[in-house]
CSV table of all heavy atoms in Angstrom, one decimal:
chain,number,residue,atom,x,y,z
A,1,VAL,N,-8.4,-2.2,16.9
A,1,VAL,CA,-8.2,-3.2,18.0
A,1,VAL,C,-6.7,-3.7,17.9
A,1,VAL,O,-6.3,-4.1,16.9
A,1,VAL,CB,-9.1,-4.4,17.8
A,1,VAL,CG1,-8.9,-5.4,19.0
A,1,VAL,CG2,-10.6,-3.9,17.8
A,2,VAL,N,-6.0,-3.6,19.1
A,2,VAL,CA,-4.6,-4.1,19.1
A,2,VAL,C,-4.5,-5.1,20.2
A,2,VAL,O,-4.9,-4.9,21.3
A,2,VAL,CB,-3.7,-2.9,19.4
A,2,VAL,CG1,-2.2,-3.4,19.5
A,2,VAL,CG2,-3.8,-1.8,18.3
A,3,GLY,N,-3.9,-6.3,19.8
A,3,GLY,CA,-3.7,-7.3,20.8
A,3,GLY,C,-2.2,-7.3,21.2
A,3,GLY,O,-1.3,-7.0,20.5
A,4,THR,N,-2.0,-7.7,22.5
A,4,THR,CA,-0.6,-7.8,23.0
A,4,THR,C,-0.4,-9.2,23.6
A,4,THR,O,-1.2,-9.7,24.3
A,4,THR,CB,-0.4,-6.8,24.1
A,4,THR,OG1,-0.7,-5.5,23.6
A,4,THR,CG2,1.0,-6.8,24.6
A,5,GLY,N,0.8,-9.8,23.1
A,5,GLY,CA,1.1,-11.1,23.6
A,5,GLY,C,2.0,-11.0,24.9
A,5,GLY,O,2.5,-9.9,25.2
A,6,ALA,N,2.3,-12.2,25.5
A,6,ALA,CA,3.0,-12.2,26.8
A,6,ALA,C,4.5,-11.8,26.6
A,6,ALA,O,5.1,-11.3,27.5
A,6,ALA,CB,3.0,-13.6,27.3
A,7,THR,N,5.0,-11.9,25.4
A,7,THR,CA,6.4,-11.5,25.1
A,7,THR,C,6.6,-10.1,24.6
A,7,THR,O,7.7,-9.7,24.2
A,7,THR,CB,7.0,-12.5,24.1
A,7,THR,OG1,6.2,-12.5,22.9
A,7,THR,CG2,7.1,-13.9,24.6
A,8,GLY,N,5.5,-9.3,24.7
A,8,GLY,CA,5.6,-7.9,24.3
A,8,GLY,C,5.2,-7.7,22.8
A,8,GLY,O,5.3,-6.6,22.3
A,9,ILE,N,4.9,-8.8,22.1
A,9,ILE,CA,4.5,-8.6,20.7
A,9,ILE,C,3.1,-8.0,20.6
A,9,ILE,O,2.2,-8.3,21.4
A,9,ILE,CB,4.4,-10.0,20.0
A,9,ILE,CG1,5.9,-10.5,19.9
A,9,ILE,CG2,3.8,-9.9,18.6
A,9,ILE,CD1,5.9,-12.0,19.4
A,10,LYS,N,2.9,-7.0,19.7
A,10,LYS,CA,1.6,-6.4,19.5
A,10,LYS,C,1.2,-6.7,18.1
A,10,LYS,O,2.0,-6.8,17.2
A,10,LYS,CB,1.7,-4.9,19.7
A,10,LYS,CG,2.1,-4.4,21.1
A,10,LYS,CD,2.2,-2.9,21.2
A,10,LYS,CE,2.7,-2.5,22.5
A,10,LYS,NZ,2.8,-1.0,22.6
A,11,VAL,N,-0.1,-6.8,17.9
A,11,VAL,CA,-0.6,-7.2,16.5
A,11,VAL,C,-2.0,-6.4,16.3
A,11,VAL,O,-2.8,-6.2,17.1
A,11,VAL,CB,-0.8,-8.7,16.4
A,11,VAL,CG1,-1.8,-9.3,17.5
A,11,VAL,CG2,-1.3,-9.1,15.0
A,12,PHE,N,-2.1,-6.1,15.0
A,12,PHE,CA,-3.3,-5.5,14.4
A,12,PHE,C,-3.7,-6.2,13.2
A,12,PHE,O,-2.8,-6.6,12.4
A,12,PHE,CB,-3.1,-4.0,14.2
A,12,PHE,CG,-4.2,-3.4,13.3
A,12,PHE,CD1,-5.4,-3.0,13.8
A,12,PHE,CD2,-4.1,-3.4,11.9
A,12,PHE,CE1,-6.4,-2.5,13.0
A,12,PHE,CE2,-5.1,-2.9,11.0
A,12,PHE,CZ,-6.3,-2.5,11.6
A,13,ALA,N,-4.9,-6.4,12.9
A,13,ALA,CA,-5.4,-6.9,11.6
A,13,ALA,C,-6.7,-6.3,11.2
A,13,ALA,O,-7.6,-6.2,12.0
A,13,ALA,CB,-5.5,-8.5,11.7
A,14,GLY,N,-6.7,-5.8,10.0
A,14,GLY,CA,-8.0,-5.2,9.5
A,14,GLY,C,-7.8,-4.3,8.3
A,14,GLY,O,-6.6,-4.2,7.8
A,15,PRO,N,-8.8,-3.8,7.8
A,15,PRO,CA,-8.7,-2.9,6.6
A,15,PRO,C,-8.1,-1.6,6.9
A,15,PRO,O,-8.3,-1.0,8.0
A,15,PRO,CB,-10.2,-2.7,6.1
A,15,PRO,CG,-11.0,-3.0,7.4
A,15,PRO,CD,-10.2,-4.0,8.2
A,16,ARG,N,-7.3,-1.1,6.0
A,16,ARG,CA,-6.7,0.2,6.1
A,16,ARG,C,-6.6,0.9,4.7
A,16,ARG,O,-6.6,0.2,3.7
A,16,ARG,CB,-5.3,0.1,6.7
A,16,ARG,CG,-5.3,0.0,8.2
A,16,ARG,CD,-5.8,1.3,8.8
A,16,ARG,NE,-5.9,1.2,10.3
A,16,ARG,CZ,-7.1,1.1,10.9
A,16,ARG,NH1,-8.2,0.8,10.3
A,16,ARG,NH2,-7.1,1.2,12.2
A,17,ASP,N,-6.5,2.2,4.7
A,17,ASP,CA,-6.3,2.9,3.4
A,17,ASP,C,-5.0,2.5,2.8
A,17,ASP,O,-4.0,2.4,3.6
A,17,ASP,CB,-6.3,4.4,3.7
A,17,ASP,CG,-6.1,5.2,2.5
A,17,ASP,OD1,-7.0,5.3,1.6
A,17,ASP,OD2,-5.1,5.8,2.3
A,18,ASP,N,-5.0,2.2,1.5
A,18,ASP,CA,-3.7,1.8,0.9
A,18,ASP,C,-2.7,3.0,1.0
A,18,ASP,O,-2.9,4.1,0.4
A,18,ASP,CB,-4.0,1.5,-0.6
A,18,ASP,CG,-2.8,0.8,-1.2
A,18,ASP,OD1,-1.6,1.0,-0.8
A,18,ASP,OD2,-3.0,0.0,-2.2
A,19,PRO,N,-1.6,2.8,1.7
A,19,PRO,CA,-0.6,3.9,1.9
A,19,PRO,C,0.3,4.1,0.7
A,19,PRO,O,1.0,5.1,0.6
A,19,PRO,CB,0.2,3.5,3.1
A,19,PRO,CG,0.2,2.0,3.0
A,19,PRO,CD,-1.2,1.6,2.4
A,20,PHE,N,0.3,3.2,-0.3
A,20,PHE,CA,1.3,3.3,-1.4
A,20,PHE,C,0.8,4.4,-2.4
A,20,PHE,O,-0.3,4.4,-2.8
A,20,PHE,CB,1.4,2.0,-2.1
A,20,PHE,CG,2.5,1.9,-3.0
A,20,PHE,CD1,3.8,1.9,-2.6
A,20,PHE,CD2,2.3,1.8,-4.4
A,20,PHE,CE1,4.9,1.8,-3.5
A,20,PHE,CE2,3.4,1.7,-5.3
A,20,PHE,CZ,4.7,1.7,-4.8
A,21,PHE,N,1.8,5.3,-2.8
A,21,PHE,CA,1.5,6.3,-3.8
A,21,PHE,C,2.2,5.9,-5.1
A,21,PHE,O,3.4,5.7,-5.1
A,21,PHE,CB,2.0,7.6,-3.4
A,21,PHE,CG,1.7,8.8,-4.3
A,21,PHE,CD1,0.7,9.6,-4.1
A,21,PHE,CD2,2.4,8.9,-5.5
A,21,PHE,CE1,0.3,10.7,-4.9
A,21,PHE,CE2,2.0,9.9,-6.4
A,21,PHE,CZ,1.0,10.8,-6.1
A,22,PHE,N,1.4,5.7,-6.2
A,22,PHE,CA,2.0,5.4,-7.5
A,22,PHE,C,1.1,5.9,-8.6
A,22,PHE,O,-0.1,5.6,-8.6
A,22,PHE,CB,2.3,3.9,-7.6
A,22,PHE,CG,3.1,3.5,-8.8
A,22,PHE,CD1,4.3,4.0,-9.0
A,22,PHE,CD2,2.5,2.6,-9.7
A,22,PHE,CE1,5.1,3.6,-10.1
A,22,PHE,CE2,3.3,2.3,-10.8
A,22,PHE,CZ,4.5,2.8,-11.0
A,23,ASP,N,1.7,6.5,-9.6
A,23,ASP,CA,0.9,6.9,-10.8
A,23,ASP,C,0.9,5.7,-11.8
A,23,ASP,O,1.7,5.7,-12.8
A,23,ASP,CB,1.6,8.1,-11.4
A,23,ASP,CG,0.6,8.8,-12.4
A,23,ASP,OD1,-0.3,8.1,-13.0
A,23,ASP,OD2,0.8,10.0,-12.7
A,24,LEU,N,0.0,4.8,-11.5
A,24,LEU,CA,0.0,3.5,-12.3
A,24,LEU,C,-0.4,3.8,-13.8
A,24,LEU,O,0.2,3.2,-14.7
A,24,LEU,CB,-1.0,2.6,-11.7
A,24,LEU,CG,-1.1,1.2,-12.4
A,24,LEU,CD1,0.2,0.5,-12.4
A,24,LEU,CD2,-2.2,0.4,-11.7
A,25,ASN,N,-1.3,4.7,-14.0
A,25,ASN,CA,-1.7,5.0,-15.4
A,25,ASN,C,-0.6,5.6,-16.2
A,25,ASN,O,-0.4,5.2,-17.4
A,25,ASN,CB,-3.0,5.9,-15.4
A,25,ASN,CG,-4.2,5.2,-14.8
A,25,ASN,OD1,-4.4,4.0,-14.9
A,25,ASN,ND2,-5.0,6.0,-14.1
A,26,GLN,N,0.2,6.5,-15.6
A,26,GLN,CA,1.3,7.1,-16.3
A,26,GLN,C,2.4,6.0,-16.6
A,26,GLN,O,3.0,6.0,-17.6
A,26,GLN,CB,1.9,8.3,-15.6
A,26,GLN,CG,2.9,9.0,-16.3
A,26,GLN,CD,2.4,9.8,-17.5
A,26,GLN,OE1,1.2,9.9,-17.7
A,26,GLN,NE2,3.3,10.4,-18.3
A,27,PHE,N,2.6,5.1,-15.6
A,27,PHE,CA,3.5,4.1,-15.7
A,27,PHE,C,3.2,3.2,-16.9
A,27,PHE,O,4.0,2.8,-17.7
A,27,PHE,CB,3.6,3.2,-14.4
A,27,PHE,CG,4.5,2.1,-14.5
A,27,PHE,CD1,5.9,2.3,-14.5
A,27,PHE,CD2,4.0,0.8,-14.4
A,27,PHE,CE1,6.8,1.2,-14.6
A,27,PHE,CE2,4.9,-0.3,-14.4
A,27,PHE,CZ,6.3,-0.1,-14.5
A,28,LYS,N,1.9,2.9,-17.1
A,28,LYS,CA,1.4,2.1,-18.2
A,28,LYS,C,1.7,2.8,-19.5
A,28,LYS,O,2.1,2.2,-20.5
A,28,LYS,CB,-0.1,1.8,-18.1
A,28,LYS,CG,-0.4,0.8,-17.0
A,28,LYS,CD,-1.9,0.6,-16.9
A,28,LYS,CE,-2.3,-0.4,-15.9
A,28,LYS,NZ,-3.7,-0.6,-15.8
A,29,LYS,N,1.6,4.1,-19.6
A,29,LYS,CA,1.9,4.9,-20.8
A,29,LYS,C,3.4,4.8,-21.1
A,29,LYS,O,3.8,4.7,-22.3
A,29,LYS,CB,1.4,6.3,-20.6
A,29,LYS,CG,-0.1,6.5,-20.6
A,29,LYS,CD,-0.5,7.9,-20.4
A,29,LYS,CE,-2.0,8.1,-20.2
A,29,LYS,NZ,-2.4,9.5,-19.9
A,30,ILE,N,4.2,4.9,-20.1
A,30,ILE,CA,5.6,4.8,-20.3
A,30,ILE,C,6.0,3.5,-20.9
A,30,ILE,O,6.8,3.3,-21.8
A,30,ILE,CB,6.4,5.1,-18.9
A,30,ILE,CG1,6.2,6.5,-18.5
A,30,ILE,CG2,7.9,4.7,-19.1
A,30,ILE,CD1,6.6,6.8,-17.1
A,31,LEU,N,5.4,2.4,-20.3
A,31,LEU,CA,5.7,1.0,-20.8
A,31,LEU,C,5.2,0.9,-22.3
A,31,LEU,O,5.9,0.2,-23.1
A,31,LEU,CB,5.0,0.0,-19.9
A,31,LEU,CG,5.6,-0.2,-18.5
A,31,LEU,CD1,4.8,-1.3,-17.8
A,31,LEU,CD2,7.0,-0.6,-18.6
A,32,ALA,N,4.1,1.5,-22.6
A,32,ALA,CA,3.6,1.4,-24.0
A,32,ALA,C,4.3,2.3,-24.9
A,32,ALA,O,4.1,2.3,-26.2
A,32,ALA,CB,2.1,1.8,-23.9
A,33,GLY,N,5.2,3.2,-24.4
A,33,GLY,CA,5.9,4.1,-25.3
A,33,GLY,C,5.2,5.4,-25.7
A,33,GLY,O,5.7,6.1,-26.6
A,34,THR,N,4.1,5.6,-25.0
A,34,THR,CA,3.3,6.9,-25.4
A,34,THR,C,3.6,8.0,-24.4
A,34,THR,O,3.1,9.1,-24.5
A,34,THR,CB,1.8,6.6,-25.3
A,34,THR,OG1,1.4,6.1,-24.0
A,34,THR,CG2,1.4,5.5,-26.4
């Protein structure tokens, strides 16, 4: 669902798949020195 305001602003709100890619577990190993 997309809403449009009078000044041309458009807005969406809702759940989405997390687009961020990060190897968090490997990052934790790097921080731990392993």
Side-chain angles (χ1 to χ4, degrees):
V1 180
V2 177
T4 303
T7 57
I9 294 174
K10 296 178 183 177
V11 59
F12 164 86
R16 280 293 175 258
D17 180 70
D18 192 334
F20 191 70
F21 184 103
F22 188 60
D23 193 338
L24 181 61
N25 295 325
Q26 187 70 9
F27 179 67
K28 289 179 181 178
K29 291 177 183 177
I30 293 168
L31 290 180
T34 58

